[in-house]
Structures are given as structure tokens and as C-alpha cells.
């Protein structure tokens, strides 16, 4: 479905135990365009909210981007200029003509740099690009990276083939084909790290591998893509 970007502030309020957002548009919305891309509707149309980190691009992000670029260059045999241009063009296409620069003094933010790095991570997973320094450089604490590990069945610690590991206990002896897995956090761990997780426990495992985001929840569609059987009748996504 076509999309449009409108700068806005979103205020989150809570009522009756449920959270909802209130938008304050920073520029006039083209409601005619909204109707055109949503079958004539201007009410109840799907929208995506992105929380922006406006801090300047960090040196760590620059180092990480160019380190991953180096692995793609070694794998592909293409020049740095060609690979760098490819991802900048991809950013331009996916962000409605917005440009990005990682140079000092750039007007781009940490959120922009993260989006660019996510495209590089997607490329590495989709094309099985070998990462020279293993997974030590990769952002284990980012949800997007953990999501890609799950969808490609790669251990988020070492990159080997992964099992589907429940972080939240589902109970011994329960029939997992009758569980709504969308309600449980999961992570991708190989057999070795899966066993280690249970052996040393959650706290020590996270401390050892510097994890603060401990698993993520997947939608029913993603779980079905992975072949995870469960009772998803009550799941909404």
C-alpha cells in the first residue's frame, strides 16, 4: 500500500488500562491523498508511528556501518564506492527521496543511521554474507537484528543454525501446538547456547553476552512462516 509521511507529535495516554495515542500534526495533512490511497477512507486508516532519536550519528554507528560494508566488499569483489552507493540509493528509495550522510556535521540523526544499518543487516542475512569478525560486532541488543536471526534461524550469539527458544516459560509438559506463541518472547539460539542458557540461567547468560533486550515477540504470520505450530485463533497480528 502506498504511504505518506506527515511530521507530527504523538502523545500517549492511558484510559481504562489501555493506551492510545493523540496526534498533533506539524503540517497540514493532504486528506484527499489519504482518501485516494485508502479506498476513499480518511477514518480508521492504518498508520505507522516511528520514534526518532535526534541525537547526532555516533562514531560507533559509523564504525559498524563501514565494518559491515568491508565484509560485503570482500564477499562481492565490488569496490567500496559501489557498495556504499548501493545502500545510499536503497535508503533514498525506501525513504521517499530522503538522503543520508554519515559524515561529521551531517544533519542526519542516530535513527537515520540505524535505518541504514538495518538495510545492511538485511542484505547480509538475505545473501548469507560471511561476517569477518563473527557476530561480535553485530547489534544483539537491537530488536531488528534479533528478528532477522529468528527469521533466518541463525543463533544471535554465534551465527550457527538456531533453535527456536522461548524466553518466557511455557510450562513443562504443555502441548506447544496449543499455545499462542505471540504472547511469549523468543530468541534464536544454537543448541550449544540454548543449553548454556538453561545451565547458567537468564541473568548470567545476559551478563556474559551483554544482552539487555531479552527476546522479542513475533506475529502469528511470522511464526507460521517459521513453521511454529500453535493456537493463534485469538492473536490479532
Amino acid at each position: 500500500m502506498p504511504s505518506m509521511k506527515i511530521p507530527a507529535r504523538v502523545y500517549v495516554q492511558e484510559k481504562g488500562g489501555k493506551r492510545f495515542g493523540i496526534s498533533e500534526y506539524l503540517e497540514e495533512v493532504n486528506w484527499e491523498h489519504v482518501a485516494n490511497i485508502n479506498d476513499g477512507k480518511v477514518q480508521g486508516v492504518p498508520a505507522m508511528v516511528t520514534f526518532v532519536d535526534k541525537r547526532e550519528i555516533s562514531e560507533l554507528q559509523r564504525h559498524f556501518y563501514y565494518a559491515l560494508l568491508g565484509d560485503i566488499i570482500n564477499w562481492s569483489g565490488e569496490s567500496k564506492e559501489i557498495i556504499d552507493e548501493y545502500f545510499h540509493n536503497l535508503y533514498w528509495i525506501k525513504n521517499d527521496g530522503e538522503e543520508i550522510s554519515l559524515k561529521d556535521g551531517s544533519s542526519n540523526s542516530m535513527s537515520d543511521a540505524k535505518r541504514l544499518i538495518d538495510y545492511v543487516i538485511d542484505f547480509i542475512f538475505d545473501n548469507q554474507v560471511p561476517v569477518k569478525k563473527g557476530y561480535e560486532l553485530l547489534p544483539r541488543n537491537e530488536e531488528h537484528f534479533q528478528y532477522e536471526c529468528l527469521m533466518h534461524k541463525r543463533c544471535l550469539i554465534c551465527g550457527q543454525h538456531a533453535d527456536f527458544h522461548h524466553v518466557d516459560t511455557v510450562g513443562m509438559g504443555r502441548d506447544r501446538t496449543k499455545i499462542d506463541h505471540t504472547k511469549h518472547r523468543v530468541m534464536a539460539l544454537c543448541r550449544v547456547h540454548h543449553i548454556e542458557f538453561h545451565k547458567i540461567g537468564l541473568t548470567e547468560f545476559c551478563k556474559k553476552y551483554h544482552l539487555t533486550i531479552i527476546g522479542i515477540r513475533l506475529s502469528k504470520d511470522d511464526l507460521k512462516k517459521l513453521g511454529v505450530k500453535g493456537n493463534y485463533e485469538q492473536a490479532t497480528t
Side-chain angles (χ1 to χ4, degrees):
M1 178 182 290
S3 63
M4 61 187 296
K5 290 185 177 181
I6 300 294
R9 295 188 183 94
V10 177
Y11 304 92
V12 179
Q13 294 189 0
E14 191 165 323
K15 185 177 181 180
K18 294 184 178 181
R19 292 181 176 179
F20 60 96
I22 301 173
S23 298
E24 175 187 294
Y25 300 110
L26 302 183
E27 67 179 48
E28 183 61 31
V29 180
N30 185 339
W31 294 110
E32 183 178 350
H33 181 52
V34 173
N36 284 340
I37 64 176
N38 289 282
D39 299 324
K41 300 176 183 177
V42 293
Q43 296 290 336
V45 273
M48 181 176 69
V49 177
T50 302
F51 295 98
V52 178
D53 186 340
K54 292 186 176 180
R55 291 176 294 175
E56 292 183 3
I57 294 171
S58 70
E59 197 57 41
L60 181 62
Q61 285 180 309
R62 292 189 186 93
H63 173 70
F64 182 46
Y65 172 75
Y66 287 112
L68 293 182
L69 229 59
D71 291 321
I72 296 173
I73 291 165
N74 292 334
W75 167 79
S76 67
E78 297 287 357
S79 68
K80 177 182 177 181
E81 291 73 23
I82 288 177
I83 300 299
D84 190 33
E85 183 180 10
Y86 170 82
F87 285 110
H88 277 71
N89 287 340
L90 183 62
Y91 184 95
W92 185 86
I93 291 169
K94 287 182 173 289
N95 293 277
D96 301 322
E98 291 182 12
E99 296 184 348
I100 186 168
S101 171
L102 299 184
K103 294 180 180 178
D104 285 329
S106 167
S107 60
N108 290 107
S109 67
M110 290 187 79
S111 286
D112 297 330
K114 180 186 180 302
R115 197 175 304 125
L116 177 66
I117 290 169
D118 283 348
Y119 299 150
V120 179
I121 291 172
D122 288 345
F123 183 93
I124 285 173
F125 273 102
D126 290 342
N127 295 281
Q128 299 182 2
V129 178
V131 181
K132 185 178 180 181
K133 294 186 178 180
Y135 273 49
E136 293 180 7
L137 273 177
L138 294 175
R140 296 172 184 156
N141 268 325
E142 291 189 4
E143 290 187 3
H144 182 74
F145 175 68
Q146 293 199 21
Y147 172 81
E148 289 290 356
C149 285
L150 283 161
M151 298 309 293
H152 289 85
K153 299 182 179 179
R154 294 294 171 187
C155 177
L156 70 91
I157 304 300
C158 68
Q160 297 300 311
H161 180 77
D163 297 322
F164 186 83
H165 171 63
H166 280 89
V167 177
D168 300 316
T169 304
V170 296
M172 293 291 291
R174 289 186 64 187
D175 185 348
R176 297 199 175 198
T177 65
K178 297 181 180 179
I179 293 172
D180 180 357
H181 296 278
T182 64
K183 299 183 184 300
H184 297 274
R185 292 175 299 164
V186 292
M187 62 169 59
L189 295 176
C190 68
R191 188 60 55 86
V192 171
H193 287 109
H194 195 162
I195 292 171
E196 183 183 24
F197 182 96
H198 289 292
K199 184 177 180 180
I200 67 177
L202 173 64
T203 302
E204 287 302 313
F205 188 85
C206 292
K207 183 178 179 181
K208 179 177 179 179
Y209 294 110
H210 310 291
L211 293 172
T212 54
I213 292 181
I214 309 165
I216 62 173
R217 289 183 174 86
L218 294 178
S219 70
K220 66 178 181 181
D221 290 336
D222 285 335
L223 287 162
K224 288 178 179 179
K225 285 178 185 177
L226 290 170
V228 180
K229 296 180 180 179
N231 179 7
Y232 302 117
E233 291 181 6
Q234 303 301 319
T236 57
T237 58

